[in-house]
């Protein structure tokens, strides 16, 4: 788990003297070091899943680190292109690709798509034919798994992502002359920390994926394993072993006899660079339990309510008081506004601030910011020893119409 460095802690402390509302801070120096450490290899091509954090400064840092970009909407595409990134470096994923969206992506120059249905294959062919061009296509495959493996993205459950192997074999690739079917895409696990389990799952994929490519008479050159690499959210969790992941991927690539292996990293790429800083409104005791009411909750940080797994939280100032369990609640009029139970110093009071870490991914843009008309959080970056505000806090009067 990423430790709050002394310079970043000092920067956050300075900001709390100026701010009255919760805010985010992203340590781009730490992010750059992490990205270099994982992209300095030749085993797997890394894409950045923009859904994890679409902030311009974050995208620019990924660009400088040599990542290409996985986008799942027109909004994400325009955000990436606005950073000066060539559309040829964009991979269009996501289950909902309408004919209108496909045409829009064409107009911006995107040429690589993950097809999630037979309809999408047909629409991509029609668009490519109209524009007299060739597209690179990966078919997304949804496999069923033994032993009732469960996970947030499906496991053996039915999801809207891709099609089963039998469904894909109903098409003939030769019917789509403008589409280069370069490979297959599969991604069914999220936030995994066990490198050996991931290796086992990937090995189980080889036989059905190669078999499908043979049945389709596809020249299988690319396999895209999506993302799914996790980061620890509790002190009991250990970070995933990246070198073990690379070893497993190299073996997978050799066993599948493919030219390229792709992954789209989101949380693992940017999760540890972000902090959500939240002022305490009050401490109270209720039915023998310690409760903290905070200025921000799931309107800024929704993930705990969705997954039941809180972001790590610490008191910003130093305290020698014994830590006791507190349940953290935000300002919304719903019991869902719960940021989890945390061990924190017993002397917390209304002038204190909490720092939530691991918030570089699935933070503000995954939240529900407009409920109860609270202010939107400002976002700051820390880079080259300086703090810069990249988006000021917005009041309801500024964002409501």
């Amino acid at each position: 788990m990423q430790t709050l460095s002394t310079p970043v802690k000092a920067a956050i402390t300075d900001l709390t003297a100026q701010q009255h509302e919760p805010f985010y801070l992203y340590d781009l120096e730490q992010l750059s070091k992490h990205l270099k450490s994982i992209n300095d290899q030749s085993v797997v091509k890394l894409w950045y899943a923009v859904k994890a954090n679409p902030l311009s400064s974050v995208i620019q840092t990924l660009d400088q680190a040599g990542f290409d970009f996985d986008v799942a909407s027109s909004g994400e595409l325009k955000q990436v292109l606005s950073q000066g990134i060539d559309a040829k470096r964009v991979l269009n994923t996501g289950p909902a690709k309408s004919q209108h969206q496909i045409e829009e992506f064409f107009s911006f120059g995107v040429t690589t798509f993950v097809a999630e249905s037979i309809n999408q294959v047909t629409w991509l062919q029609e668009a490519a034919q109209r524009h007299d061009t060739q597209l690179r296509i990966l078919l997304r495959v949804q496999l069923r798994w033994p032993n009732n493996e469960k996970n947030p993205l499906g496991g053996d459950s039915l999801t809207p992502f891709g099609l089963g192997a039998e469904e894909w074999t109903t098409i003939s690739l030769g019917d789509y002359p403008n589409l280069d079917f370069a490979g297959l895409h599969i991604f069914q696990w999220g936030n995994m920390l066990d490198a050996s389990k991931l290796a086992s799952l990937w090995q189980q994929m080889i036989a059905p994926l190669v078999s499908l490519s043979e049945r389709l008479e596809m020249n299988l050159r690319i396999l895209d394993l999506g993302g799914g690499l996790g980061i620890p959210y509790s002190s009991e969790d250990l970070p995933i072993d990246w070198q073990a992941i690379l070893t497993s991927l190299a073996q997978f690539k050799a066993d599948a006899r493919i030219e390229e292996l792709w992954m789209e990293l989101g949380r693992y790429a940017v999760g540890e660079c972000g902090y959500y800083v939240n002022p305490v409104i009050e401490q109270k005791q209720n039915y023998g339990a310690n409760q903290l009411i905070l200025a921000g909750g799931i309107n800024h940080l929704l993930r705990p309510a969705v997954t039941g797994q809180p972001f790590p939280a610490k008191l910003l100032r130093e305290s020698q008081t014994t830590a006791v369990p507190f349940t953290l609640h935000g300002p919304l009029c719903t019991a869902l506004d719960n940021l989890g139970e945390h061990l924190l110093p017993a002397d917390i009071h209304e002038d204190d601030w909490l720092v939530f870490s691991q918030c570089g991914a699935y933070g503000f843009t995954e939240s529900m910011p407009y409920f109860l008309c609270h202010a939107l959080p400002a976002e700051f970056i820390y880079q080259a020893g300086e703090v810069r505000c990249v988006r000021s806090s917005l009041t309801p009067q500024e964002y409501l119409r």
Side-chain angles (χ1 to χ4, degrees), residues 37-38 50 62 81 119 133 152 160 169 191-192 200 231 249 261 271 294 335-337 345 372 376 393:
S37 72
I38 63 175
V50 175
L62 270 292
L81 297 182
N119 282 331
T133 189
T169 56
N191 198 36
M192 297 283 287
S200 174
I231 60 174
L249 291 174
L261 196 58
L294 307 175
L336 291 173
D337 197 5
L372 263 70
L376 306 187
S393 175

Side-chain angles (χ1 to χ4, degrees), residues 98-119:
S98 66
Q99 295 179 69
H100 173 77
Q101 178 178 302
I102 289 171
E103 189 66 33
E104 185 176 26
F105 271 64
F106 256 102
S107 71
F108 284 109
V110 177
T111 57
T112 304
F113 295 81
V114 172
E116 309 245 359
S117 69
I118 295 171
N119 282 331

Side-chain angles (χ1 to χ4, degrees), residues 149-150 189 192 194-204:
E149 292 283 359
K150 298 290 184 183
W189 274 267
M192 297 283 287
D194 188 334
S196 62
K197 184 173 183 179
L198 266 175
S200 174
L201 292 171
W202 288 333
Q203 283 297 316
Q204 293 178 60

Side-chain angles (χ1 to χ4, degrees), residues 27 49 89 110 128 147 169 219 248 262 284 295 324 339-340 350 374 381 392:
D27 183 354
R89 295 172 55 201
V110 177
N147 304 321
T169 56
N219 178 18
S248 299
W262 292 359
K284 66 181 183 181
V324 298
L339 299 182
E350 61 271 15
H374 286 280
I381 59 171
S392 299

Side-chain angles (χ1 to χ4, degrees), residues 369-376 393-401:
Y370 302 117
F371 187 39
L372 263 70
C373 300
H374 286 280
L376 306 187
S393 175
L394 293 178
T395 68
Q397 290 70 38
E398 292 171 308
Y399 67 73
L400 289 177
R401 295 291 185 269

Side-chain angles (χ1 to χ4, degrees), residues 19-32:
Q19 303 295 312
H20 302 288
E21 299 286 349
F23 62 88
Y24 278 87
L25 181 137
Y26 307 101
D27 183 354
L28 298 188
E29 291 187 356
Q30 183 272 329
L31 177 59
S32 294

Side-chain angles (χ1 to χ4, degrees), residues 2-11 27 275 382:
Q2 188 66 26
T3 303
L4 189 62
S5 69
T6 299
V8 172
K9 183 175 182 179
D27 183 354
Y275 303 91
Y382 177 82

